Amino acid sequence: MENFNFCVGTRILFGKGQEEKLPELLRPYGNKVLLTYGGGSIKRTGLYDRIKSLLHEFEIFELGGIEPNPRIESVYAGAEICKEEDIDVILAVGGGSTIDCSKAIAAAAYYEGDAWDLILHPDWIEKALPICTVLTLSATGSEMDNGGVITNLKTKEKLGFGNPLLLPKASVLNPENTFTVPASQTAAGSADIMSHILEVYFDTRRAAVPDRISEGLLKTVIQYAPIAVREPENYEARAELMWTSSLAINGICSTGKDCAWSCHPMEHELSAYYDITHGVGLAILTPRWMRYILNEHTVEKFAEYAKNVWGIAEKADLFETANAGIDATEEFLKSLEIPMTLSEVGITEEHFTEMAEHAVIFGGLSEAYVPLKAEDVVNIYRMCM
Amino acid sequence: MENFNFCVGTRILFGKGQEEKLPELLRPYGNKVLLTYGGGSIKRTGLYDRIKSLLHEFEIFELGGIEPNPRIESVYAGAEICKEEDIDVILAVGGGSTIDCSKAIAAAAYYEGDAWDLILHPDWIEKALPICTVLTLSATGSEMDNGGVITNLKTKEKLGFGNPLLLPKASVLNPENTFTVPASQTAAGSADIMSHILEVYFDTRRAAVPDRISEGLLKTVIQYAPIAVREPENYEARAELMWTSSLAINGICSTGKDCAWSCHPMEHELSAYYDITHGVGLAILTPRWMRYILNEHTVEKFAEYAKNVWGIAEKADLFETANAGIDATEEFLKSLEIPMTLSEVGITEEHFTEMAEHAVIFGGLSEAYVPLKAEDVVNIYRMCM
């Protein structure tokens, strides 16, 4: 097992009614709260009103309208409020996009230059506002990790960033707050959770603890995602997905492992160029990436995956076992009714080469489980058409 | 899934050579360090000298000789040093006993009354010295949780206590520091790790995330404990056991679950009365407890355990599957050459009744997975003879 550091001190308040603890959670940080949220679904569900009422003793400033694939312009807007109003703490109410954007705002609040600098150089972050979150979508795990992704449409860049200072202080995980998430977003979020686990599960470094945990979390998604898609108000299913989303990417699954990720960099290009749903892009890419990198060096790991995650009985040939696991992955994602080709989401071959080159450079694909060059990425994109 | 709170911010520094980061870990807390350790094995292995040399710029005070099943007298001694010397931070170098004792010292350092009060009423703890640890034995998980166990031989009590203020700030987990742990202690430690997981796995509340993680961690112990027993310097095996020991009891495996524990309270009586090795007592009790509580209400969970942990194929009868899992548990513990009867460790029936009554009262056994009365505990003790 490789050396590693692990430190995730986010306070998780999980379950029904946990929003009620927001006043005591926020109080230690001060009185001025920047409330951030997305397109307004929290107003329709009543969560916005409930939170405003709970926080009636605080001075609330707001940044709404944060986009899916949040843009640097929203970061600028939020940072400006923080500076002008001398904000004490950010309360992000939403999914990964709102939380990611809030992390960038938290850092930009203390930065005098262009906030995009901090996305390009997260090690420049020296100070950040404290962040608390109320999660409304199980997907990115941003509620319990220190990273995020911001899109710059001008430069056609969608880049990940991270810094320990950006770890949320506390996150309220009430599964009921995801009851209104539509089936398509539930499915895409589940694909995102699975991808976070698979990105680190497939690694040349062997480590049993994270791999056994990863297999357990994948089995949980496989068991509960179809239920949540079918029965949006099934509390157990929503709860299992929600807790899985946080643990999938908070670092436990990658302890002692160290590869660069594969599908996320390839997907970030798709949504930077075409603004598609991140989880849909991942669902399309994942099984094709698996087939592309299956070879005599990786077949053993894929066979382990097939057996331990999908319960596939060992077959005569390792490749047969491995392929059965990949087939199961693809069938499962299809069964969630996610579009499974790039053509279906309106993507053509036009930008494949430049997207592939970007993915290799910014995503560090040469350090991935199976190193990928731009031509490999183009081949994988083509398999997705 | 039941509501839960989870917050474990211990900084884990895992791997070879991580002791070198001790100076930067301790520096923020001050200059006066209370170094605590056990019977002196760290002097024989050279770890003591290495740490003293690394910390040459600090003022070091020492409390050595902390017992296995640490006693309240050691807590008194440590607290006195902290008060007299105005200690800034405690560095516990050892296994669970040293770390547990250090937690009690950390709290007692700020308490004017008898430190035993704080073991009886851990909610009275209002302040505690910061604790860092260097782990030398994979077993209790004390390096990443906020609890401990202290023995009072005068009152024949061995009681658990816990408070969020006692969570270690940082723990150095270098598997090489466990290379010299003898086979018998490695085996007992592994039984302890398994018991921590089983105590929460068997719960009336259903929660997939913690159960799948628990199964993964159990499989890791089953795979690597025999290797560590056989090959004490096998780094991978020591590393897997070490990381498992921390995750087994830091709260992840019990998220959304809420039963009182069963085997630990029964064992604490054994080692309070007879000072036996904690993990040995647990290994003796666990399979007998399993057989005693197997019934039509629990059989499904035991069958799940047999299948998911031991890979036992489903048999015609649920009870047959369940019993195969219990048999496998007992065979496994035997294979580690742990004494498997109370008679072998010198325990007679003499105190069974009073120990059982104690266990029920102090261990809350009426709230266990299958509630136990004193007569049940006596029956289980008898099955262990």
Side-chain angles (χ1 to χ4, degrees):
Chain A
M1 202 186 285
E2 297 287 307
N3 282 13
F4 64 83
N5 290 355
F6 179 80
C7 184
V8 183
T10 302
R11 178 172 303 278
I12 298 293
L13 300 164
F14 193 100
K16 296 175 188 175
Q18 295 276 26
E19 299 82 7
E20 285 159 29
K21 293 180 187 146
L22 281 173
E24 72 183 86
L25 280 180
L26 296 174
R27 180 55 63 208
Y29 303 110
N31 194 53
K32 288 184 158 187
V33 178
L34 176 63
L35 176 68
T36 57
Y37 52 95
S41 68
I42 66 164
K43 291 193 174 166
R44 289 190 297 280
T45 62
L47 181 59
Y48 172 89
D49 287 337
R50 199 153 76 251
I51 287 174
K52 291 273 282 202
S53 151
L54 281 163
L55 300 182
H56 65 275
E57 290 186 349
F58 291 79
E59 195 178 351
I60 309 281
F61 299 83
E62 296 190 26
L63 178 73
I66 294 172
E67 316 75 11
N69 300 317
R71 298 180 192 167
I72 189 66
E73 287 76 16
S74 295
V75 178
Y76 298 148
E80 205 179 309
I81 301 174
C82 292
K83 286 173 181 171
E84 279 180 7
E85 305 294 349
D86 207 12
I87 294 293
D88 296 312
V89 54
I90 301 177
L91 177 62
V93 182
S97 299
T98 296
I99 303 172
D100 284 6
C101 185
S102 301
K103 288 175 179 171
I105 292 169
Y110 290 111
Y111 185 70
E112 289 310 316
D114 184 335
W116 185 247
D117 298 345
L118 302 178
I119 308 303
L120 292 168
H121 309 283
D123 53 311
W124 291 6
I125 299 169
E126 287 176 352
K127 200 176 169 188
L129 281 170
I131 303 165
C132 294
T133 87
V134 177
L135 188 64
T136 63
L137 179 73
S138 304
T140 73
S142 192
E143 65 278 8
M144 203 184 180
D145 75 12
N146 62 36
V149 180
I150 298 293
T151 295
N152 190 330
L153 285 180
K154 276 186 206 147
T155 61
K156 285 200 193 307
E157 286 172 313
K158 180 177 178 180
L159 297 181
F161 66 104
N163 186 298
L165 293 167
L166 305 180
L167 187 75
K169 301 294 181 194
S171 286
V172 169
L173 272 57
N174 178 350
E176 292 178 336
N177 289 333
T178 63
F179 280 0
T180 55
V181 175
S184 63
Q185 288 295 331
T186 302
S190 301
D192 194 16
I193 298 171
M194 291 181 78
S195 178
H196 292 151
I197 303 170
L198 295 169
E199 295 279 24
V200 298
Y201 182 76
F202 288 97
D203 189 309
T204 48
R205 294 152 194 86
R206 288 294 172 120
V209 171
D211 279 5
R212 296 296 88 75
I213 292 176
S214 291
E215 290 160 359
L217 295 177
L218 286 168
K219 285 197 276 191
T220 307
V221 179
I222 293 162
Q223 181 178 359
Y224 287 102
I227 301 173
V229 164
R230 217 167 44 229
E231 306 167 27
E233 302 204 358
N234 185 307
Y235 185 85
E236 287 311 302
R238 293 295 195 180
E240 298 287 358
L241 284 180
M242 193 168 230
W243 192 211
T244 302
S245 80
S246 304
L247 296 178
I249 190 179
N250 79 349
I252 284 193
C253 293
S254 59
T255 50
K257 312 189 87 179
D258 199 24
C259 275
W261 290 18
S262 300
C263 291
H264 271 67
M266 292 192 282
E267 197 295 316
H268 284 172
E269 296 307 314
L270 300 179
S271 44
Y273 276 71
Y274 295 95
D275 214 17
I276 65 167
T277 301
H278 177 52
V280 170
L282 290 170
I284 296 172
L285 283 163
T286 298
R288 280 64 181 238
W289 162 74
M290 288 179 162
R291 289 193 204 288
Y292 192 80
I293 66 163
L294 176 63
N295 61 39
E296 58 186 3
H297 303 296
T298 63
V299 66
E300 207 177 315
K301 185 75 185 166
F302 274 103
E304 183 177 285
Y305 166 70
K307 284 184 284 183
N308 293 354
V309 174
W310 295 99
I312 288 165
E314 202 162 321
K315 300 180 190 296
D317 176 20
L318 263 186
F319 274 91
E320 206 185 326
T321 315
N323 272 308
I326 300 174
D327 291 346
T329 310
E330 187 164 357
E331 286 311 311
F332 174 77
L333 293 165
K334 258 188 210 160
S335 78
L336 298 179
E337 302 197 3
I338 301 175
M340 288 300 286
T341 62
L342 292 179
S343 336
E344 282 173 80
V345 293
I347 294 178
T348 66
E349 300 209 4
E350 188 186 350
H351 300 293
F352 276 4
T353 306
E354 58 189 282
M355 292 194 301
E357 282 164 0
H358 256 173
V360 169
I361 294 167
F362 290 108
L365 289 177
S366 59
E367 304 294 324
Y369 174 52
V370 171
L372 300 174
K373 295 180 184 152
E375 63 198 68
D376 298 309
V377 177
V378 170
N379 287 338
I380 293 169
Y381 283 153
R382 288 213 176 107
M383 289 166 75
C384 297
M385 292 302 288
Chain B
M1 202 185 286
E2 297 287 306
N3 282 12
F4 65 84
N5 290 355
F6 179 81
C7 184
V8 183
T10 303
R11 178 172 302 280
I12 298 294
L13 300 164
F14 193 100
K16 296 175 189 178
Q18 296 276 27
E19 300 83 5
E20 284 158 30
K21 293 179 188 147
L22 282 173
E24 70 182 86
L25 280 180
L26 297 174
R27 181 54 66 206
Y29 302 109
N31 194 53
K32 287 184 160 189
V33 179
L34 175 64
L35 176 68
T36 56
Y37 51 95
S41 67
I42 65 164
K43 290 193 173 164
R44 289 190 296 280
T45 62
L47 181 59
Y48 173 88
D49 287 336
R50 199 153 75 251
I51 286 173
K52 292 274 280 202
S53 151
L54 281 164
L55 300 182
H56 66 274
E57 290 185 348
F58 291 78
E59 196 178 350
I60 308 283
F61 299 84
E62 296 191 24
L63 177 73
I66 294 172
E67 315 77 10
N69 299 319
R71 299 181 192 167
I72 189 65
E73 288 76 15
S74 295
V75 178
Y76 298 148
E80 204 178 310
I81 301 174
C82 292
K83 287 173 181 172
E84 278 180 8
E85 305 295 349
D86 207 13
I87 294 293
D88 296 312
V89 55
I90 301 177
L91 177 63
V93 182
S97 301
T98 296
I99 303 172
D100 284 7
C101 185
S102 302
K103 288 175 179 170
I105 293 169
Y110 290 110
Y111 185 69
E112 288 311 315
D114 183 336
W116 186 247
D117 297 346
L118 302 179
I119 307 303
L120 292 168
H121 309 283
D123 53 312
W124 291 5
I125 299 169
E126 287 177 351
K127 200 177 169 189
L129 281 170
I131 302 164
C132 295
T133 87
V134 177
L135 188 65
T136 63
L137 180 72
S138 304
T140 73
S142 193
E143 66 277 9
M144 203 183 180
D145 74 13
N146 61 37
V149 180
I150 297 294
T151 295
N152 189 331
L153 285 180
K154 277 186 206 149
T155 61
K156 285 203 192 306
E157 286 172 312
K158 181 177 178 179
L159 298 181
F161 67 104
N163 186 299
L165 293 166
L166 306 179
L167 186 76
K169 302 294 183 195
S171 286
V172 169
L173 272 57
N174 178 350
E176 291 178 337
N177 289 333
T178 63
F179 280 0
T180 55
V181 175
S184 63
Q185 288 296 331
T186 302
S190 300
D192 195 16
I193 298 170
M194 290 180 78
S195 178
H196 293 151
I197 303 170
L198 294 169
E199 296 277 25
V200 298
Y201 182 77
F202 288 98
D203 189 307
T204 49
R205 293 151 194 88
R206 289 295 172 118
V209 169
D211 279 6
R212 296 296 88 76
I213 291 176
S214 291
E215 290 160 358
L217 294 177
L218 285 168
K219 286 198 275 190
T220 307
V221 179
I222 293 163
Q223 180 177 359
Y224 287 102
I227 301 174
V229 164
R230 215 167 46 229
E231 305 167 29
E233 303 204 357
N234 184 308
Y235 184 86
E236 287 310 304
R238 293 294 195 181
E240 298 287 358
L241 285 180
M242 193 168 231
W243 191 210
T244 302
S245 79
S246 304
L247 295 179
I249 191 180
N250 78 350
I252 284 194
C253 293
S254 60
T255 50
K257 312 188 90 181
D258 199 22
C259 275
W261 291 17
S262 301
C263 290
H264 272 67
M266 294 192 280
E267 197 296 313
H268 285 172
E269 296 307 315
L270 299 178
S271 44
Y273 276 71
Y274 295 96
D275 215 17
I276 65 167
T277 301
H278 176 53
V280 170
L282 291 170
I284 296 172
L285 284 163
T286 298
R288 280 65 181 240
W289 163 73
M290 288 179 162
R291 290 193 203 288
Y292 191 80
I293 66 163
L294 176 62
N295 61 39
E296 58 187 1
H297 303 295
T298 63
V299 65
E300 207 176 316
K301 184 74 185 167
F302 273 104
E304 183 177 284
Y305 166 70
K307 285 183 285 182
N308 293 353
V309 174
W310 296 99
I312 288 165
E314 202 162 320
K315 300 181 191 297
D317 176 21
L318 262 187
F319 275 91
E320 205 185 327
T321 314
N323 272 308
I326 300 174
D327 291 345
T329 310
E330 187 164 358
E331 286 310 312
F332 175 77
L333 293 165
K334 257 188 209 159
S335 78
L336 297 179
E337 303 196 4
I338 301 175
M340 288 301 287
T341 63
L342 292 180
S343 336
E344 281 173 80
V345 294
I347 294 177
T348 66
E349 301 208 6
E350 188 185 351
H351 300 292
F352 277 4
T353 307
E354 59 188 280
M355 291 195 299
E357 283 164 0
H358 255 172
V360 169
I361 295 166
F362 290 107
L365 289 178
S366 60
E367 305 294 324
Y369 174 53
V370 171
L372 299 174
K373 295 180 184 152
E375 64 197 68
D376 298 311
V377 177
V378 170
N379 288 338
I380 294 170
Y381 283 153
R382 287 214 176 106
M383 289 166 75
C384 297
M385 291 303 287

